[in-house]
Amino acid sequence: MEQRHLGRTGLRVSRIGLGTLTWGRDTDEQDAADLLKVFWDAGGTLVDTADVYGDGDAEYIVGRLLDGLVPRRDLVIATKAGSVPDPDRRFDASRGHLLAALDASLQRLGTDHVDVWQVHAFDPGTPLEETLQALDIAVASGRARYAGVSNFSGWQLAKAATWQLGAPGTRTRIASAQLEYSLLQRGIEREVLPAALDLGVGLLPSSPLGRGVLTGKYRHSTPADSRGASEHLAPFVAPYLDEAAGRVVDAVATAADGLATTPLQVALAWVRDRPGVTAPIIGARNAQQLTAALSVEALSLPDEIFRALDDVSAPVHRYPDDQWSVL
């Protein structure tokens, strides 16, 4: 698999990442082992997890599979901290919480460092400077090699990245930003993507298949074994089952027919090759699904199809993003 630099850093990662959102909940350890083996055999290196996935079980599973199945040195392990199971405070990005969470993640993962450590979301209850100091401490102590953010808006990303650049040699560069990005969710193109491109931050798109909808599996019904039929994931899929999304899915299916490939590959190739993207994160349910996704390595969309998909899925960006006029 082709390797790409993570933003403006020297770290190289596979241009498709393996997500572990369902590990320890819908994906047991044996299925996870099958997924990781398929991913590694295909040349994949970037494994994305978080301290809240499966209430910590996802990290436990990743840790148990390291070395026993795949050598630790062959993988780029990325994890996140800052989400908390508190209805009154969904995010805690205070320095104390983040550093304690990192230590707990390292213990679950069975390693002395993670390659990429990301703040899971912006915390309005904590000064951003305090949050960023935690990233500095983590990197300076060797517990994290690189640092990033997740689910930050454009101004939040720009503020974080420029603050970190304020004192060269003493602050940690923001290497990555992980946000949802697909043909069904192009909101980051308004401000986040331009900021990331300008600041040299690598994008790690989550849900690049529109929460599974872009595979076409929901065009006529909801399969019983799909996430859309899952008790806790159905609300996650539902927003992308409307008429507007259906038009985009139909266009993806038409493109796939013309290229003699699958809607999954077309949708994934589109986001993988967008400007600023380092690696979309794929969350497959089984090894067969992952193998199908990884076969996108051989596909590059023709320019005319790329443009057609851009047009059919284009978000509405007006003032001040579009050209300004006094008329």
Side-chain angles (χ1 to χ4, degrees), residues 84-264:
V84 292
D86 183 343
D88 297 321
R89 184 180 186 180
R90 293 184 57 203
F91 310 113
D92 184 350
S94 64
R95 182 171 55 243
H97 173 80
L98 289 178
L99 293 175
L102 175 58
D103 289 339
S105 287
L106 294 177
Q107 185 174 21
R108 286 189 291 268
L109 290 165
T111 184
D112 63 355
H113 74 279
V114 291
D115 300 287
V116 183
W117 187 47
Q118 300 178 110
V119 180
H120 210 152
F122 182 82
D123 174 14
T126 299
L128 183 58
E129 292 80 4
E130 179 180 335
T131 297
L132 299 175
Q133 287 166 3
L135 301 183
D136 292 339
I137 293 169
V139 173
S141 66
R143 287 176 281 176
R145 298 293 192 253
Y146 295 87
V149 297
S150 178
N151 300 306
F152 272 39
S153 68
W155 74 264
Q156 293 162 357
L157 172 61
K159 184 176 181 180
T162 53
W163 187 87
Q164 293 295 82
L165 293 174
T170 63
R171 293 180 181 169
T172 301
R173 173 184 287 275
I174 297 295
S176 64
Q178 185 170 340
L179 297 99
E180 186 170 352
Y181 188 28
S182 74
L183 279 162
L184 296 182
Q185 178 50 272
R186 296 176 61 180
I188 71 167
E189 293 177 6
R190 180 176 173 88
E191 291 186 339
V192 175
L193 179 57
L197 286 168
D198 184 67
L199 295 164
V201 175
L203 288 173
L204 301 174
S206 57
S207 297
L209 298 176
R211 307 182 183 185
V213 174
L214 286 165
T215 64
K217 69 173 69 175
Y218 298 103
R219 290 180 79 188
H220 307 295
S221 62
T222 299
D225 63 344
S226 68
R227 290 178 180 175
S230 166
E231 179 180 352
H232 46 267
L233 288 176
F236 183 65
V237 176
Y240 293 159
L241 297 178
D242 61 9
E243 185 176 342
R247 290 192 293 270
V248 177
V249 173
D250 288 345
V252 170
T254 299
D257 289 343
L259 294 171
T261 185
T262 65
L264 180 156

